[in-house]
Amino acid sequence: MVASPRLANLDGMRLGSVLESVNVAVVRTGAWTGRMGRTGIDKRPVTGPVRVNRHGVAGDTVCDTGAHGGPYRAAYACAVEDLLWWSAELGRQLRPGCFGENLTTSGLDIHDALVGEHWAIGTAVFEVTYPRLPCRVLAGFWDVKDLVRRFTERGRPGGYLRVLGEGEVRAGDPVTVVHRPEHDITLGEAFAALTARPDLLPRLAAVLPQLPPEVRVKVRRRVGLVR
């Protein structure tokens, strides 16, 4: 276990729900990057205001557009608290951006965020759409062979975001939940439904408009709406 990862890795971390860092990709290549041969999973913190629009975060690179990016996955948010947990679990320090996230938050329980919840950050507004699913590229980036299994068992994946209102964000901006829908389907439950608990997929029928099109098809098939 690493000693004091909070101090070593995130000196000056603020209290409350705050955007700790904005991260954009350094494109990597190598055998571990999978079928694309390149990946933008290695994201690094940047300074100053960063523009976000419905296509994503300015300065970022998405290599596998079939699995990442697009309006329903314009940005990915991860909690710094989960980085600290994994730092202790793996015995090494993980910096913001190591999950491949664009937005690293603190003081916000992303696991319990509702699908369709709205966040105001800086001058932008985001909608929570979908939990991140682990892949072999993440395992290769971290060099942890069984990470997909461990990540799934941990069950705290962070969340993809749609941009409802374009604007600028920067480290230090408050993260304010400005809307919570009336249902009770969290990112954590959605992640379970899409991984270890397919019996929960019918529950996601209540949030179909917020989900990416390919996930809607999966849910509809489960509940018998399409073949």
Side-chain angles (χ1 to χ4, degrees):
M1 181 177 293
V2 295
S4 302
R6 180 186 298 268
L7 296 178
N9 214 33
L10 297 158
D11 186 34
M13 192 173 75
R14 305 165 186 85
L15 299 175
S17 298
V18 170
L19 184 61
E20 286 295 329
S21 69
V22 183
N23 317 301
V24 301
V26 173
V27 176
R28 300 279 298 275
T29 59
W32 60 270
T33 61
R35 63 186 177 84
M36 302 300 296
R38 60 198 299 267
T39 177
I41 198 170
D42 184 3
K43 301 195 189 299
R44 311 283 179 88
V46 294
T47 60
V50 180
R51 184 76 182 172
V52 295
N53 59 43
R54 65 186 184 88
H55 300 292
V57 177
D60 194 31
T61 302
V62 176
C63 297
D64 186 354
T65 55
H68 305 284
Y72 288 87
R73 294 181 287 234
Y76 169 46
C78 177
V80 78
E81 292 84 357
D82 289 315
L83 282 167
L84 294 172
W85 189 92
W86 280 105
S87 292
E89 177 73 8
L90 299 177
R92 66 178 192 252
Q93 296 171 13
L94 297 176
R95 55 168 172 74
C98 275
F99 277 101
E101 80 274 16
N102 302 107
L103 308 177
T104 309
T105 67
S106 68
L108 180 69
D109 191 347
I110 298 177
H111 176 78
D112 284 335
L114 298 178
V115 175
E117 186 172 293
H118 297 177
W119 301 347
I121 309 174
T123 59
V125 179
F126 300 87
E127 180 181 53
V128 176
T129 60
Y130 178 60
R132 185 259 188 82
L133 302 179
C135 64
R136 289 179 293 175
V137 174
L138 178 63
F141 178 44
W142 284 17
D143 194 24
V144 178
K145 290 183 179 180
D146 62 346
L147 183 62
V148 171
R149 175 186 61 79
R150 293 168 69 175
F151 190 97
T152 302
E153 289 175 352
R154 171 67 173 161
R156 300 185 68 88
Y160 284 115
L161 307 173
R162 185 160 68 110
V163 177
L164 296 181
E166 299 182 354
E168 291 184 340
V169 298
R170 70 170 77 200
D173 283 340
V175 181
T176 305
V177 178
V178 294
H179 168 71
R180 282 174 66 83
E182 294 183 0
H183 65 75
D184 61 352
I185 300 170
T186 65
L187 279 179
E189 182 176 6
F191 180 74
L194 294 165
T195 54
R197 293 285 309 278
D199 58 296
L200 294 175
L201 278 171
R203 289 264 297 154
L204 301 189
V207 294
L208 282 181
Q210 283 73 44
L211 298 174
E214 67 274 15
V215 181
R216 295 179 204 169
V217 171
K218 186 174 184 178
V219 173
R220 287 189 177 116
R221 284 176 177 162
R222 179 70 181 190
V223 299
L225 295 178
V226 295
R227 295 185 181 272

